[in-house]
Amino acid sequence: MTTAFLQCIEDGCHRKHTLDRKDYRCDACGGMLEIGYDAPRVAPQALRQTWQSRKSSSAIEDQSGVWRFRELLPFVPEGANVVTLGEGHTPLLDVPRAGEWAGGVRLAIKHQGNNPTGSFKDLGMTACITEAAILGSRVTVCASTGNTSASMSAYAVRAGMKAVVTVPAGKISAAKLAQALEFGAVVIEIGETFDDSFRLLRALTAELNLYLVNSLNPFRLEGQKTIVCEILEQRDWRVPEFIVVPGGNLGNVSAIGKGLRELKELGLIEKLPRLVVTQAEGANPFYRMVANNSAELIPVAEPRTEASAIRIGNPVNWKKAIRAIRATDGMVESVSDDEIFAAKAALAHDGVGCEPASATTIAGIRKLVASGKIPRGADIVAVLTGHQLKDPEISLRRRSEADLARQRLRVEPDVNKLRAALERVLASD
Ligand SMILES: *Cc1c(COP(=O)(O)O)cnc(C)c1O
């Protein structure tokens, strides 16, 4: 049995703490904590075989794309139940037309929209609600741009916990709000931005003994890191040259960086892919930090972008994220909303839809190929973080007049008029 602990990420500190603390700050230096563990001494080949063989099991924890890799999540005590909705095992798909559009790269997408509540947040949520249950928590809370609230609400209600979410007033998509409400959560609209609602909530979590599941909760990142196991398994353990993710609160890139580091330490891979983070121009503090070579992140006070999932001005995980970028010789790119929606349209030609935040990856790749920072022909996996149906209002609003005139027709209920309309469609190219 491996033992897990919380550990400070700051160089020169690395103090260890027990798993049951909830503020996720180091006692000694105030730094961020992550989960550490004494690595299992298992041969890489044996691990691969164990993971592979679980695919033919009918037990739900073997089918989950998180718990199938449970050797990497050794914080669950023997005999404890995991709270799962069968998350993960999402497809890795070639998207040749989008790859061409992006400048002639070999592009595949890992579609995390195909998760129980429609975003990658489910990978982290199964892990941290499992931990909340182990600790006997009764109330879970989060601040959210929408997807975290939908995901937390589902896993919390399944575990028999009360769920409370804070969201910026009037700023989250109706689809995400409807999900949280349907799962019985209380939704508090507060503040103008995600950052406001997070700051206010965080001020009260300790006082009221609330279990906070935002991505500064290191158990979230443990669940999310398993995406790298799936990607590599789906590629027969051939490491891609680049893995590209959108950046909001920077939990996902941090988790992927940690997952890669651990797989390398365990001998499952020999080299690392380069990690690329893409941000929206109006909410790009991490991009600016890296571009300006600054030591500290300067928050964006009024983050703006139509990609609401990444409308975040003060990402909590930047210290973990910068480590992931440095450790993998990674890059950060920034793209405009117009570029994001053009990328989304390009992906649609491969029959793949996603929410706007996810499409920043494809827009970023195109920009990096154009500037020569990614070579043509590169082997790239882009992580699509959320489902196409998460943000239908914007997708409709973003269709051009010309497209709508061609695609969205209103015809009187008369067979001759319908024939005429169909004939026009058949004659067009
Ligand atoms: C949460 C979210 C992001 C941002 O992920 P971070 O881990 O906060 O960087 C991107 N896309 C979608 C769809 C999301 O739900």
Side-chain angles (χ1 to χ4, degrees):
M1 187 57 200
T2 47
T3 45
F5 42 83
L6 286 165
Q7 184 164 28
C8 177
I9 67 163
E10 292 294 331
D11 288 334
C13 180
H14 295 308
R15 173 179 294 203
K16 292 183 183 178
H17 302 71
T18 54
L19 285 181
D20 56 355
R21 58 183 306 124
K22 291 193 203 155
D23 57 354
Y24 308 123
R25 277 208 192 92
C26 176
D27 279 343
C29 74
M32 294 194 88
L33 303 183
E34 66 177 4
I35 313 285
Y37 56 92
D38 302 323
R41 290 183 212 297
V42 187
Q45 204 48 39
L47 265 182
R48 283 185 200 179
Q49 269 168 15
T50 305
W51 294 343
Q52 193 65 34
S53 70
R54 284 183 188 141
K55 280 186 169 175
S56 53
S57 153
S58 56
I60 187 72
E61 58 280 19
D62 289 341
Q63 285 175 18
S64 158
V66 172
W67 300 107
R68 190 157 67 80
F69 305 103
R70 54 188 171 266
E71 285 74 12
L72 301 185
L73 307 157
F75 61 85
V76 182
E78 213 54 62
N81 285 328
V82 298
V83 182
T84 176
L85 289 164
E87 52 290 317
H89 57 81
T90 58
L92 182 74
L93 296 170
D94 289 336
V95 284
R97 295 183 187 114
E100 205 44 55
W101 178 85
V105 290
R106 283 180 293 149
L107 184 59
I109 55 97
K110 175 71 172 164
H111 210 321
Q112 297 300 90
N114 289 38
N115 263 297
T117 76
S119 82
F120 79 87
K121 300 298 196 299
D122 294 339
L123 266 61
M125 214 51 76
T126 184
C128 85
I129 297 296
T130 293
E131 174 64 12
I134 291 168
L135 296 178
S137 307
R138 312 192 39 146
V139 186
T140 63
V141 298
C142 67
S144 175
T145 59
N147 281 334
T148 307
S149 67
S151 182
M152 183 190 79
S153 306
Y155 285 84
V157 73
R158 195 166 172 85
M161 295 170 199
K162 187 176 272 186
V164 183
V165 308
T166 60
V167 298
K171 297 278 169 58
I172 76 166
S173 88
K176 298 176 188 179
L177 178 64
Q179 285 183 287
L181 294 175
E182 182 155 312
F183 292 127
V186 173
V187 178
I188 301 175
E189 298 194 57
I190 181 168
E192 287 286 306
T193 63
F194 164 84
D195 306 282
D196 293 340
S197 67
F198 183 52
R199 180 176 45 79
L200 292 161
L201 179 64
R202 204 174 165 186
L204 295 176
T205 47
E207 179 186 330
L208 301 178
N209 194 26
L210 308 171
Y211 189 83
L212 181 68
V213 310
N214 279 98
S215 60
L216 90 162
N217 180 322
F219 293 92
R220 279 270 302 278
L221 305 197
E222 290 306 288
Q224 286 169 205
K225 78 184 180 187
T226 59
I227 187 180
V228 296
C229 302
E230 280 200 354
I231 291 174
L232 287 162
E233 209 180 43
Q234 285 166 317
R235 294 173 48 97
D236 297 320
W237 295 92
R238 278 178 304 105
V239 177
E241 289 170 78
F242 297 90
I243 294 182
V244 188
V245 284
N249 230 347
L250 303 172
N252 213 12
V253 59
S254 304
I256 290 173
K258 185 169 193 276
L260 289 168
R261 189 176 84 213
E262 290 175 0
L263 290 187
K264 186 151 180 273
E265 281 164 10
L266 287 166
L268 282 148
I269 51 175
E270 272 166 20
K271 59 170 189 172
L272 297 175
R274 296 178 68 189
L275 272 178
V276 178
V277 173
T278 52
Q279 293 204 295
E281 228 165 61
N284 64 357
F286 190 58
Y287 167 78
R288 292 189 203 187
M289 177 187 160
V290 172
N292 299 334
N293 224 339
S294 352
E296 294 282 321
L297 180 129
I298 300 168
V300 170
E302 288 178 21
R304 277 178 227 274
T305 167
E306 281 193 290
S308 59
I310 51 172
R311 194 186 294 138
I312 293 180
N314 189 14
V316 291
N317 288 301
W318 68 266
K319 284 195 174 171
K320 291 182 177 177
I322 194 71
R323 281 199 314 170
I325 293 297
R326 291 203 179 115
T328 62
D329 188 22
M331 295 186 280
V332 186
E333 186 53 279
S334 171
V335 292
S336 70
D337 279 14
D338 284 348
E339 289 168 325
I340 292 172
F341 285 94
K344 193 160 139 56
L347 261 177
H349 290 293
D350 285 301
V352 173
C354 62
E355 69 168 285
S358 312
T360 55
T361 53
I362 313 300
I365 293 166
R366 181 177 160 101
K367 223 167 153 177
L368 289 165
V369 174
S371 65
K373 291 183 187 147
I374 289 182
R376 287 175 63 86
D379 177 13
I380 307 177
V381 174
V383 177
L384 299 187
T385 42
H387 198 281
Q388 181 183 31
L389 298 179
K390 285 283 194 174
D391 244 331
E393 304 92 344
I394 289 170
S395 302
L396 261 181
R397 231 188 304 130
R398 277 279 176 168
R399 299 230 45 88
S400 68
E401 296 285 328
D403 282 342
L404 285 175
R406 185 174 54 80
Q407 289 184 278
R408 196 173 181 192
L409 312 179
R410 168 80 47 100
V411 178
E412 281 166 49
D414 173 295
V415 78
N416 291 320
K417 295 209 162 127
L418 179 58
R419 179 183 299 109
L422 289 173
E423 280 171 354
R424 274 197 299 278
V425 172
L426 296 176
S428 68
D429 39 38

